[in-house]
């Protein structure tokens, strides 16, 4: 036999087990890794575009800059150097709802303020998300009375609830990270999104 190594134009994976050896089921990651090793990866254009859109949306969230009560002080702290929300791409607080895609409801919502909060939400372009920050905006908190809305989810669809009174800035950061996970796991809609359908899916008519 010649000592020249055999020429293989295509790379193939070595068998992972000897004949007769027990074959363990492979995880999805291992199977994907094998496909990458083979140099072949199948996907759909729709999936690739969806993945790219989700990455862009999750890592460049623009919150609306407004606060309603004491929780807003903790919300402001996340933009400072100590907590630095820019590490998560969400530091661009916008003064106009038309440029924002995240509403952080920080503080109690009075009955008088509720229509204003709803109008701000309506003015934000799709897709948009809402974080209820603190006990007051999540369920009314200690203010169980006629003047305070018992949860902002009565007027806008809430994606993430952050508990606490007030929640620490780290808790809000955690809420933003949870929202990022939710965005990354979602199926993005391409083109105009029918508003009624979105509100119906989120349980707010
Ligand atoms: S949850 Fe506590 S800190 Fe936040 S607005 Fe209500 S009372 Fe203030």
């Amino acid at each position: 036999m010649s000592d020249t190594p055999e020429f293989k134009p295509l790379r193939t994976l070595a068998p992972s087990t000897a004949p007769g050896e027990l074959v363990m089921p492979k995880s999805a990651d291992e199977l994907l890794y094998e496909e990458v090793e083979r140099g072949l990866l199948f996907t759909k254009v729709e999936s690739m575009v969806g993945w790219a859109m989700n990455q862009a949306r999750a890592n460049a969230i623009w919150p609306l800059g407004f606060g309603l009560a004491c929780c807003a002080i903790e919300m402001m702290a996340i933009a400072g150097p100590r907590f630095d929300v820019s590490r998560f791409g969400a530091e661009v607080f916008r003064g106009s709802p038309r440029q924002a895609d995240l509403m952080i409801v920080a503080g109690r919502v009075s009955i008088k303020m509720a229509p204003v909060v709803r109008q701000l939400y309506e003015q934000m372009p799709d897709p948009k998300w809402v974080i209820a920050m603190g006990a007051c905006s999540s369920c009314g908190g200690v203010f169980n009375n006629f003047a305070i809305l018992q949860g902002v989810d009565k007027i806008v669809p809430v994606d993430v609830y952050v508990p606490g009174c007030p929640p620490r800035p780290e808790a809000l950061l955690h809420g933003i990270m949870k929202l990022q996970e939710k965005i990354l796991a979602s199926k993005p809609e391409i083109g105009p999104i029918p508003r009624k359908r979105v509100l119906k899916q989120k349980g707010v008519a």
Side-chain angles (χ1 to χ4, degrees):
M1 283 189 57
S2 156
D3 290 332
T4 315
E6 189 187 352
F7 173 65
K8 289 184 179 174
L10 294 176
R11 187 174 173 196
T12 53
L13 288 176
S16 55
T17 53
E21 197 177 325
L22 190 64
V23 179
M24 297 298 291
K26 292 180 178 167
S27 68
D29 279 352
E30 284 171 334
L31 290 172
L32 180 64
Y33 185 74
E34 275 194 11
E35 290 301 320
V36 174
E37 281 282 294
R38 285 192 177 97
L40 278 175
L41 203 55
F42 294 99
T43 185
K44 294 182 287 184
V45 173
E46 188 190 356
S47 304
M48 278 183 63
V49 171
W51 177 86
M53 283 173 69
N54 276 351
Q55 288 288 333
R57 286 172 178 171
N59 295 298
I61 297 173
W62 287 11
L64 180 60
F66 86 110
L68 298 173
C70 11
C71 274
I73 305 298
E74 305 294 317
M75 181 185 71
M76 287 176 221
I78 66 166
R82 179 163 180 182
F83 300 102
D84 195 14
V85 72
S86 62
R87 291 175 294 154
F88 307 98
E91 80 278 20
V92 191
F93 277 85
R94 308 312 296 172
S96 164
R98 292 175 181 84
Q99 298 170 354
D101 55 10
L102 170 63
M103 171 182 269
I104 302 174
V105 185
R108 51 195 168 270
V109 185
S110 64
I111 298 291
K112 210 171 177 182
M113 195 66 184
V116 182
V117 173
R118 176 70 195 196
Q119 187 176 6
L120 287 172
Y121 178 79
E122 293 285 348
Q123 288 176 338
M124 289 164 62
D126 286 316
K128 53 192 169 188
W129 301 276
V130 177
I131 291 180
M133 180 186 180
C136 286
S137 62
S138 298
C139 63
V142 295
F143 302 99
N144 186 9
N145 61 46
F146 65 90
I148 300 296
L149 198 65
Q150 300 300 297
V152 73
D153 52 8
K154 302 228 174 348
I155 53 166
V156 291
V158 174
D159 295 283
V160 176
Y161 296 85
V162 180
C165 177
R168 278 198 48 86
E170 294 97 331
L172 181 55
L173 289 181
H174 185 68
I176 290 174
M177 289 163 72
K178 284 286 162 199
L179 180 64
Q180 287 179 320
E181 284 174 17
K182 193 171 177 179
I183 295 171
L184 288 174
S186 65
K187 186 172 183 297
E189 299 229 18
I190 299 171
I193 303 173
R195 171 70 51 81
K196 277 188 181 165
R197 197 166 84 221
V198 173
L199 294 178
K200 203 173 173 187
Q201 281 169 359
K202 294 188 174 183
V204 177

